[in-house]
Amino acid sequence: MKIVNAKVFTPEFIFKDGEICVDKEQFAAVSPDASKIDAKGLYAIPGLIDIHFHGAVGYDFMDGTKEALRSIAAYEANVGVTSICPATMTMGKEDILKACANARDFKPDDNCSSLVGINMEGPFFSAQKLGAQNPDFVMKPDAAFFRKAQAASGNKIKLLAIAPDTENALNVIAKLKDEVLCSIAHTCCDYDTAVKAIAEGATHLTHLYNAMPPLYHRDPGPIAAGSDAKWCEAEIICDGIHVHPAAVRAAFRLFGADRMILISDSMMACGLEDGIYQLGGQKVTVTHRKALLDNGTIAGSATNLFSCMKTAVQKMGIALESAIRCATYNPARSIKVLDKVGTIEPGKQADLLLIDDNLDIKALLLRGKWLFNEI
């Protein structure tokens, strides 16, 4: 199969008209009579990769069931997120282990995204910066419990969120830096503590700005520490609710597009109507895409990653090529799956979107088969 006349994205920020060949035998592409697709006027971009989200269409990763995982993966694939790394929550140890074990042997159906990892978000957080995490289950950082969860997952945990200001956190980061990517998250830490955490191996910031001290000129906190460390990367939620557009633009200037990662942080209301939902065992009310706990705390998003990318471009002034990089190449590099996904090139999984100038998806290739094609 050939896709011709498409404007092809490359991680070097270049769009150029080109021809993409997909090996029929390797990727089992459909219908031999449809061997050429004319994508004139369309962009060809890699399938998106969400490395931080909790759920969608009424299901949560923490449900710990095959039905939940399949339903989430099917929804994500249909909206252009072809690889997923769902996140745990601060809940009981057995709930975390159950969710990790549920993902261990997950094999996607033909209409499901590939599961490329797990993001262990919680329970190693500061009690003063929990956001929507459940305070009943917060615990101090514990390498032994992480390793137990990692074993349950079959070594699928790629990210571990941890508050550097909590007891024993720096020691745990140092112990685990060669086993998992540690991320500064849900923290009250100051600049100096964040610098130490980054030096020990926590070279990732979970949902920048959210659940951390702000960037203040005499007490710059973890945001400045991450920006200063040229090897530290930062997630950001561009749903139009979590972070003001000007702050998004400032983050891109602080870190550069090569170190920013777009995430959705979506919860089970994503893909559904306004209503009452759950997150981490807590009631969440969703109104006009804003998800709130009863105390008014924002509780994740109700927006998928593709919509976040679109918002970043159309409403926040982020360059299209930068936004695409931050939703494909950068997350794949971050969790070390760039050898399989994240770019369009021979030898990688054939996940590809064809999108128009309005950034609407016109066709979606999932592992070499058209999930849909409106061209």
Side-chain angles (χ1 to χ4, degrees):
M1 175 178 58
K2 288 184 179 180
I3 300 170
V4 298
N5 299 320
K7 290 175 276 188
V8 183
F9 170 79
T10 71
E12 291 74 27
F13 294 2
I14 297 170
F15 285 99
K16 55 185 178 182
D17 287 338
E19 179 178 289
I20 303 165
C21 296
V22 179
D23 186 285
K24 289 179 183 171
E25 292 183 2
Q26 183 178 357
F27 298 117
V30 298
S31 57
D33 57 332
S35 59
K36 183 178 285 191
I37 302 291
D38 189 348
K40 185 176 178 61
L42 300 178
Y43 297 100
I45 70 171
L48 272 55
I49 304 163
D50 199 345
I51 65 170
H52 186 161
F53 78 107
H54 297 278
V57 291
Y59 295 95
D60 190 292
F61 179 65
M62 290 298 292
D63 292 344
T65 68
K66 297 300 182 187
E67 178 187 5
L69 202 44
R70 279 195 298 269
S71 298
I72 292 168
Y75 167 79
E76 295 293 339
N78 200 54
V79 295
V81 184
T82 56
S83 297
I84 56 174
C85 180
T88 62
M89 286 288 293
T90 300
M91 294 180 70
K93 288 184 178 181
E94 293 307 315
D95 290 318
I96 294 171
L97 294 175
K98 177 184 175 184
C100 290
N102 183 56
R104 180 184 185 112
D105 300 316
F106 177 75
K107 292 182 173 52
D109 295 339
D110 288 346
N111 67 332
C112 290
S113 301
S114 302
L115 191 145
V116 293
I118 297 170
N119 182 338
M120 188 170 168
E121 191 191 15
F124 306 144
F125 293 151
S126 168
Q128 287 72 48
K129 283 290 183 182
L130 288 179
Q133 302 284 332
N134 194 323
D136 293 339
F137 300 105
V138 173
M139 59 182 286
K140 68 180 183 181
D142 182 349
F145 178 64
F146 162 76
R147 287 168 177 155
K148 189 173 183 179
Q150 183 69 295
S153 76
N155 294 314
K156 281 189 165 60
I157 301 175
K158 305 291 187 178
L159 273 165
L160 173 64
I162 190 166
D165 51 313
T166 54
E167 182 184 351
N168 201 41
L170 295 179
N171 288 334
V172 170
I173 291 168
K175 283 181 181 179
L176 297 178
K177 65 181 179 182
D178 295 326
E179 300 175 37
V180 68
L181 174 57
C182 293
S183 181
I184 296 172
H186 290 268
T187 180
C188 295
C189 74
D190 60 14
Y191 175 86
D192 291 337
T193 303
V195 167
K196 291 176 184 176
I198 292 167
E200 294 292 358
T203 56
H204 191 97
L205 294 175
T206 293
H207 44 52
L208 189 72
Y209 297 120
N210 297 114
M212 65 179 61
L215 178 62
Y216 180 63
H217 61 293
R218 284 191 292 272
D219 186 10
I223 297 172
S227 177
D228 279 351
K230 300 307 180 187
W231 60 93
C232 188
E233 61 198 9
E235 306 170 353
I236 198 161
I237 308 167
C238 294
D239 62 346
I241 294 169
H242 277 78
V243 184
H244 190 281
V248 171
R249 292 190 292 273
F252 271 74
R253 287 193 293 271
L254 280 169
F255 285 83
D258 60 327
R259 292 197 285 147
M260 293 298 298
I261 297 171
L262 298 187
I263 61 166
S264 72
D265 200 15
S266 70
M267 44 84 71
M268 64 164 59
C270 185
L272 299 177
E273 301 296 323
D274 289 354
I276 307 297
Y277 298 93
Q278 295 281 325
L279 180 65
Q282 301 175 99
K283 176 185 155 189
V284 177
T285 302
V286 178
T287 308
H288 304 306
R289 292 191 307 106
K290 180 181 280 189
L292 299 175
L293 298 181
D294 284 346
N295 65 8
T297 300
I298 294 178
S301 87
T303 307
N304 64 64
L305 180 59
F306 190 89
S307 293
C308 288
M309 184 184 77
K310 192 171 180 177
T311 296
V313 174
Q314 296 180 340
K315 298 181 180 179
M316 295 179 169
I318 302 303
L320 175 61
E321 60 269 26
S322 297
I324 293 171
R325 179 191 174 104
C326 296
T328 58
Y329 181 90
N330 289 1
R333 181 195 61 200
S334 174
I335 64 169
K336 295 182 171 55
V337 293
L338 191 56
D339 60 324
K340 300 178 180 67
V341 294
T343 61
I344 303 168
E345 57 185 311
K348 291 195 178 180
Q349 195 161 284
D351 297 331
L352 180 147
L353 313 182
L354 295 176
I355 61 176
D356 62 17
D357 287 334
N358 192 47
L359 307 190
D360 292 326
I361 304 174
K362 310 308 290 184
L364 194 160
L365 195 69
L366 180 64
R367 294 185 297 274
K369 295 183 180 180
W370 290 111
L371 186 60
F372 60 83
N373 186 351
E374 300 173 359
I375 300 173

